[in-house]
Amino acid sequence: MLDLTYETPKPKVIAGARHDWELVIGLEVHAQVASKSKLFSGASTQFGAEPNSNVAFVDAAMPGMLPVINEFCVAQAVRTGLGLNAQINLISAFDRKNYFYPDLPQGYQISQLYHPIVGEGEVIVDMGPGIARKVRIERIHLEQDAGKSIHDMDPNMSFVDLNRTGVALMEIVSRPDIRGPEEAAAYVAKLRQILRYLGTCDGNMQNGNLRADVNVSVCRPGDYEKYQETQDFNHLGTRCEIKNMNSMRFIQQGIEYEARRQIAILEDGGTVDQETRLYDPDKCETRSMRSKEEAHDYRYFPCPDLLPLEIEQTWVDDIRDSLPELPDEKKARFVAAYGMTEYDAGVLTADVESAAYFEAVAEGRDGKLAANWVINELFGRLKKEEHTISESPVSADQLGGILDLIAKGDISGKIAKDLFEIVYTQGGNPTEIVETRGMRQVTDTGAIEAAVDGVIAANPDQVEKAKANPKLAGWFVGQVMKATGGKANPKAVNEMVSRKLGLS
Ligand code: ADP
Ligand code: MG
């Protein structure tokens, strides 16, 4: 049912001083699993808790403490893999990634290098109606997060907060299939949307629940196609990795800066060093954090405290059966079922709550009219006041009530907007408001006729003009609407005016 025909967007080309260059980008996204407890302990993951209040003995690496895998976190990784059409590995294993850092009391991070729980998948990244890029996912593995060192609380001391130590992360690694800064941001946005639909990560980038390491290289036109044919990385340029990006805007700015920096080096006859860099949003530039020579030797080895993780196919199937309708499917269904544009369907399916709201309004009503009202009136109004759909003062029932009044001919589209404004600011039942405030549309031909006669009698000059030029009849319609306080049925007025002026 999903229409997968789309055009592939062109790669971003940057003109250097000597020739053109193309960008190649691959992302490693760290998504915090939406779990109440940590990956290997029962400690809480609550954000913003008192420092060091959510730390189990195993998180603090007390001697003799053993990690116990959290089944819920494993299920979320599987769920995410299924949501990304990925291969689920029934056997995976945890490895120790050894390094010393004060916020990592164990002296190693438990991760999955050799046998990740999720293998190859894909994300369809929308770049406008009918234009999308398929970005391949290489793997997703489960790992622990580290704690937080705090250096700015005291001039002489550093502090450590271990609340985040041991929180479950899913590292989602893409292939280098992304071809520009906007695409990279759109990829992260699409991934976040899917994770939120699945409920496996809340995607809050400000809290650091979703952050990306962004790998950037540049190549000459044609080289990327050779890489795609052969999967041989030698056709691509040397990459640099920009660490820990947690804003869509910074991701784009960082990539743009980094690509231009590499192009300048290459055109100058130099070579790009493979290194890890940090983005400085104040200066809008990246700077070196560590070079390949300084790269850690993590001495990965299988974690002896944990057995290989074996899951059952039936368990995976149960998770698959519980998957919700995902954004691409929902969008395609909205286009097909309600006859709306892909653009509108994209707006309405941006998040689960908006889509559910729309469907509640559209149920048993004109879908196109419902889409129009939800997008233009409601979303427009909510956006102005920076409210989310869950904070909407107008419920789906109330908006549906307004649409019913339009459909029955009780109110005109124009009065409906006034009514919407009343419901939005003061609440209430739309039908009752129309009754008590006398907003009902006048369809009574006697009353309309009287108003039309009045306007015609008062404007003999205009009558002569309109008879010569029927286009001017609209002026009479406007006058009658004014005289009736906008409540006259516009169609009835139109007909009556034409008849009285002898135009029909
Ligand atoms: P490492 O183990 O050094 O992190 P990976 O093979 O895991 O290397 O790759 C890390 C990320 O770098 C992946 O997301 C991948 O798509 C990306 N990547 C690899 N080569 C390139 C390249 N030439 N240009 C841009 N990104 C790349
Ligand atoms: Mg990597």
Side-chain angles (χ1 to χ4, degrees), residues 315-352:
W315 189 66
V316 174
D317 294 341
D318 286 348
I319 296 176
R320 192 193 300 275
D321 290 342
S322 77
L323 289 187
E325 183 181 40
L326 291 170
D328 289 336
E329 280 174 82
K330 207 185 266 297
K331 195 163 107 177
R333 181 169 63 80
F334 276 22
V335 170
Y338 300 106
M340 62 177 77
T341 62
E342 193 187 326
Y343 181 83
D344 284 355
V347 173
L348 290 171
T349 56
D351 54 76
V352 191

Side-chain angles (χ1 to χ4, degrees), residues 28 97 113 138-139 141 171 173 215 239 241 300:
E28 297 161 273
K97 179 178 182 179
L113 177 69
E138 186 183 314
R139 55 190 275 147
H141 59 257
E171 179 170 335
V173 183
N215 296 272
R239 72 177 188 270
E241 179 184 30
Y300 275 99

Side-chain angles (χ1 to χ4, degrees), residues 269-330:
T271 50
V272 173
D273 290 330
Q274 187 174 335
E275 58 182 1
T276 303
R277 300 178 68 87
L278 277 184
Y279 181 66
D280 180 342
D282 294 327
K283 296 196 178 130
C284 289
E285 61 184 38
T286 63
R287 58 166 183 269
S288 184
M289 189 174 142
R290 57 174 181 255
S291 67
K292 199 179 176 185
E293 291 74 49
E294 300 164 76
H296 297 291
D297 182 349
Y298 295 117
R299 306 257 164 181
Y300 275 99
F301 64 84
C303 182
D305 289 341
L306 289 155
L307 288 168
L309 181 61
E310 237 185 292
I311 55 179
E312 304 273 336
Q313 185 60 49
T314 51
W315 189 66
V316 174
D317 294 341
D318 286 348
I319 296 176
R320 192 193 300 275
D321 290 342
S322 77
L323 289 187
E325 183 181 40
L326 291 170
D328 289 336
E329 280 174 82
K330 207 185 266 297

Side-chain angles (χ1 to χ4, degrees), residues 136-164:
R136 293 168 300 161
I137 299 295
E138 186 183 314
R139 55 190 275 147
I140 303 175
H141 59 257
L142 273 168
E143 63 183 28
Q144 306 174 290
D145 206 347
K148 195 167 79 180
S149 297
I150 303 156
H151 305 294
D152 57 2
M153 263 173 68
D154 187 284
N156 302 314
M157 278 190 282
S158 282
F159 296 88
V160 68
D161 176 5
L162 298 182
N163 280 352
R164 218 175 54 194

Side-chain angles (χ1 to χ4, degrees), residues 122-137:
E122 66 189 36
V123 176
I124 308 294
V125 180
D126 315 272
M127 298 303 297
I131 305 176
R133 164 115 36 215
K134 185 190 281 187
V135 174
R136 293 168 300 161
I137 299 295

Side-chain angles (χ1 to χ4, degrees), residues 40 64-68 93-98 106 108-111 114 144 299-309:
F40 297 116
M65 293 297 121
L66 288 174
V68 177
F94 289 96
D95 305 297
R96 285 187 181 178
K97 179 178 182 179
N98 299 281
Q106 285 171 158
Y108 55 83
Q109 177 191 32
I110 303 179
S111 182
Y114 302 110
Q144 306 174 290
R299 306 257 164 181
Y300 275 99
F301 64 84
C303 182
D305 289 341
L306 289 155
L307 288 168
L309 181 61

Side-chain angles (χ1 to χ4, degrees), residues 115-249:
H115 304 284
I117 183 152
V118 178
E120 298 198 349
E122 66 189 36
V123 176
I124 308 294
V125 180
D126 315 272
M127 298 303 297
I131 305 176
R133 164 115 36 215
K134 185 190 281 187
V135 174
R136 293 168 300 161
I137 299 295
E138 186 183 314
R139 55 190 275 147
I140 303 175
H141 59 257
L142 273 168
E143 63 183 28
Q144 306 174 290
D145 206 347
K148 195 167 79 180
S149 297
I150 303 156
H151 305 294
D152 57 2
M153 263 173 68
D154 187 284
N156 302 314
M157 278 190 282
S158 282
F159 296 88
V160 68
D161 176 5
L162 298 182
N163 280 352
R164 218 175 54 194
T165 308
V167 165
L169 299 179
M170 297 178 281
E171 179 170 335
I172 306 168
V173 183
S174 88
R175 299 266 182 205
D177 290 348
I178 300 164
R179 306 304 313 282
E182 296 79 18
E183 261 180 54
Y187 167 78
V188 175
K190 184 64 177 284
L191 199 55
R192 183 173 63 170
Q193 184 192 26
I194 295 172
L195 294 173
R196 283 181 170 165
Y197 263 66
L198 292 166
T200 57
C201 167
D202 73 19
N204 188 332
M205 293 181 84
Q206 268 157 7
N207 293 356
N209 289 2
L210 192 84
R211 43 194 204 262
D213 297 343
V214 181
N215 296 272
V216 183
S217 68
V218 296
C219 65
R220 300 294 309 282
D223 285 346
Y224 181 80
E225 285 69 23
K226 283 185 212 147
Y227 155 72
Q228 279 292 25
E229 270 164 41
T230 59
Q231 293 300 306
D232 178 353
F233 282 94
N234 288 319
H235 292 297
L236 301 181
T238 305
R239 72 177 188 270
C240 286
E241 179 184 30
I242 318 171
K243 270 270 177 228
N244 253 329
M245 307 280 272
N246 67 349
S247 129
M248 303 286 190
R249 197 156 55 91

